[in-house]
Every structure is written in C-alpha cells, then in structure tokens.
C-alpha cells in the first residue's frame, strides 16, 4: 500500500557550510516538527547510521551525512511526495553517537526566526519609521544565505503553501519597499485581518531595551500596533492578525458513538480551563500630560464585565478611558486577578484603552485551550494540518461543538509507537485572540 502523499518528512540540504546542496535526507528513525504563531518553529530528527536492509553504512557514507547536517546549514523541511514545504530551517546542533546496537545522527534546529532570537538588537533610537521599515533594516543583513527574509503583510500565501497549493508563492503581498508601504489590500479577511494603518504608522522613539533580542524588539512593537508576527514557510517575516472569517478547514471528531459516515478521528486530548496568569481586569497607567496642577496621567481599564457588571466574552471586552474602576470584575470572580501596567507608549486615552484591552485579551487567551492528537499528518480529505486555520471540534466527551483557531501544530514520527505518524493540534476558541 502506498503511503499517503503527506505522510513523511524529508530534509533537502540548502546553503551553508556544506557542499551537498540539494541532497535529500528522508530515511528517519523519528522526527518532531513544531510550528506556532507565537514562536519560531523548531525541529528534531534522528537518522540511523544503517542502510534500509540493516547493513552498516560505510565510513565515507557516515562522513557525508555528517557533512550534510552541520550546524548553520539551511534545510528545507518538505512533507510527503508532493514536497509540501513546512518551512526553511537552520540546523542548530548536530550529535553523532548511539548505544549498543544502534548508532545515529541527531539534528535539531529552528526556522528563520532563529537568527532574530540569537542576536541582540543593535539599533539605536528609531523615529519616523514604520514597523515594516524597521523590520527591513534588521533583516537586510541576513539575506543571500538561503532564506529570503522578505517582510509580508498577508498570511494568504503562507496558508496556500502549508496546505499544498502550488500558487502560494506567486500570491505573496510584499511590503518591503523603500517607503515601507504595502502594495496590499489591508483590513479585510483576505489579508488575514491586518489592521488598517499598520504599514503607515510610525514607531515613534522606538528604542531597544538593554539585552533585548531582535525578535523581542520587533514583537513588542508588533503588539503595540495590533499584529501578530511569525515566520512563514518560505522564510518570510509575516505581520498579520487572526482571520476569523475563514471557514473551518478541518473537522475534529470524538463522539460517544462513532458515526460511520464521519468516524471519530481524535486519538487523544481535550479542553482545558486554566486561571493561572489570567486577569479579570487590566489597568494601564500611561504618559503624563500637562503641567503643575493640571498635570494628569493617561489611564484606562479593561474588564471582562459590561457596564452592568455582567460577564462578557474577552473578545467583546471594552476598555474605558477613565480612572480605574476596581470592583466590577471582583464581583464577578471568586478570586480577583487584576493587573496594573505602566506603559509610556500610552500617550493618549485611546492608546491606553487599546493597550489595556489587548493585555486583558492576551492574559485571558489561554484560559480556554484545546489540544488534540490525530493520526497521520493530513485530514481525511488529503489536506495537511496547519496553523493559522480554523477547525470545527465535535467532542462529546468535553461537551464541545465549536470552531477553534489553530495556534500550534506538532507532527511526529516514531518507529515504536502504535500510531507511528501523528499530529498534535493546539488552539483557542474562535475570536479569543484580540490584538
């Protein structure tokens, strides 16, 4: 029986300290690949130092494999016969060793976000530049080594690539221009919900914190402008927002009595409620205005209750541009969880309101989470599982019939487990991420 088109992962060697450009490595004992909208993707692979028939490789063959997987080598992680691109990664670490009767090469690495995580930001104070311009200034020195490092204002093309559509590359909407403005329609579901004004708003007096990495610096300003930031499959930095208008691409099912027409596909997992690190109210103290007796501080409060004190969904929470009102959130929760933040970026009441609402949403985002393990790396319709999409969950064990937004995907292969090839999907309720 022929394996499904997306049911294994191979590495294709790219640029770096190796002479094996284009070499394909596809006989893995095990692997794990993780992609997230919050952090750079990561991977780990174990390659057995034996042939398909169990014969030991020659010394020259082992040396060739060692050369092909040196740290700093750029590799393409490709899934299945169709060679669907997971992402371009950089090998961090190579280990050659083993135990009695089994020798292997272990390699680990991350996606293109690695270089931003490993370098502290050297920029001095930046004023009068948009976030795309700032990102362009930081990324420009990394180009020409096997990863494009473009700056994009849309996740559309990346979604095409992750699900195996071949037109994804030409669908890119780049914002890497001299003026930092995007040639892209902004603010619709077709562009992942990227906020209007994102490509024209200056990052005023943007100064890196001492020891702040380039990743942390860009992510901090992305949050201030209301966008998420992650690296796409091709190695481009994407600024976007969740697109809740897209239909659910997958259906995850666990019925007490499986339906023969739509059988259960959930192997393990469920829903979690967790109040740790959440908030019932967030109070922002911003920039001071005026002088003398007229001097006042910009403040705002966001709570998970409405004006009548009734609990509302975090996605509908509103911020008030006024002095903090303590008590409402307290009356709606057994234990109050109120956060106070001083942020000099809040120079107006509107900015303070936006920051307080965003912080409340981020604190509450992980209150309700989902994690499910499924067989294989693709749905029954042949679509690879991927992040930044939505899934319809029918889970009678957890009493859930809802749409969730997928924030993380882990794909695994093992020689020893019952379900040797599987995928773990993590998500939050539709609308939970408010930025």
């Amino acid at each position: 029986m022929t394996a499904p088109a997306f049911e294994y992962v191979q590495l294709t060697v790219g640029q770096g300290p190796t002479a094996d450009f284009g070499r394909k490595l596809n006989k893995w004992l095990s692997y794990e690949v993780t992609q997230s909208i919050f952090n750079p993707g990561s991977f780990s692979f174990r390659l057995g130092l034996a042939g398909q028939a169990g014969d030991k490789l020659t010394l020259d063959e082992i040396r060739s494999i060692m050369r092909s997987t040196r740290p700093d080598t750029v590799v393409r992680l490709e899934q299945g016969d169709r060679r669907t691109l997971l992402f371009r990664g950089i090998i961090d670490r190579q280990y050659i060793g083993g135990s009695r009767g089994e020798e292997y090469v272990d390699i680990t690495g991350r996606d293109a976000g690695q270089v931003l995580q490993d370098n502290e930001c050297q920029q001095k104070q930046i004023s009068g530049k948009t976030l795309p311009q700032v990102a362009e200034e930081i990324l420009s020195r990394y180009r020409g080594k096997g990863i494009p490092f473009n700056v994009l204002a849309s996740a559309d093309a990346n979604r095409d690539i992750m699900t195996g559509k071949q037109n994804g590359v030409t669908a890119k909407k780049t914002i890497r221009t001299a003026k930092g403005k995007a040639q892209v329609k902004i603010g619709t579901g077709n562009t992942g919900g990227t906020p209007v004004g994102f490509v024209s708003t200056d990052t005023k007096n943007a100064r890196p914190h001492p020891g702040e990495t380039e990743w942390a610096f860009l992510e901090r300003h992305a949050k201030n402008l209301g966008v998420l930031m992650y690296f796409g499959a091709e190695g481009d930095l994407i600024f976007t927002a969740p697109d809740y208008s897209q239909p659910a691409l997958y259906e995850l099912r666990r019925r007490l009595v499986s339906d023969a027409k739509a059988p259960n596909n959930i192997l393990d997992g469920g829903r979690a409620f967790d109040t740790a690190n959440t908030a019932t109210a967030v109070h922002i103290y911003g920039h001071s205005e005026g002088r003398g007796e007229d001097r006042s501080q910009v403040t705002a409060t966001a709570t998970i209750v409405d004006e009548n004190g009734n609990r509302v969904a975090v996605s509908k929470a509103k911020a008030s541009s006024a002095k903090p009102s303590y008590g409402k959130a307290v009356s709606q929760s057994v234990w109050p969880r109120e956060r106070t933040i001083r942020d000099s970026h809040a120079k107006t009441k509107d900015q303070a309101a936006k920051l307080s609402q965003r912080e409340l949403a981020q604190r509450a985002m992980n209150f309700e989470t989902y994690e499910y393990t499924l067989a294989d790396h693709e749905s029954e319709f042949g679509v690879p599982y991927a992040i930044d999409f939505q899934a319809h969950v029918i889970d009678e064990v957890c009493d859930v019939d809802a749409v969730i937004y997928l924030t993380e995907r882990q794909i695994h292969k093992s020689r020893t487990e019952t379900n040797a090839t599987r995928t773990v999907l993590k998500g939050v309720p539709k609308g939970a991420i408010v930025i």
Side-chain angles (χ1 to χ4, degrees), residues 395-411:
D395 186 353
E396 293 183 353
V397 172
C398 297
D399 192 23
V400 173
D401 187 346
V403 174
I404 66 171
Y405 175 71
L406 299 176
T407 59
E408 184 175 311
R409 171 185 71 167
Q410 298 175 353
I411 59 177

Side-chain angles (χ1 to χ4, degrees), residues 174-196:
T174 182
I175 54 175
R176 185 164 63 86
T177 66
K179 296 183 179 180
K181 293 185 178 181
Q183 303 301 314
V184 61
K185 188 176 181 182
I186 301 295
T188 70
N190 293 330
T191 59
T194 308
V196 173

Side-chain angles (χ1 to χ4, degrees), residues 28 30-34 42-46 77 106-109:
W28 303 105
S30 62
Y31 58 72
E32 179 175 317
V33 181
T34 300
S42 62
F43 60 90
S44 63
F45 286 78
R46 173 164 290 188
L77 283 71
D106 279 345
I107 60 171
T108 59

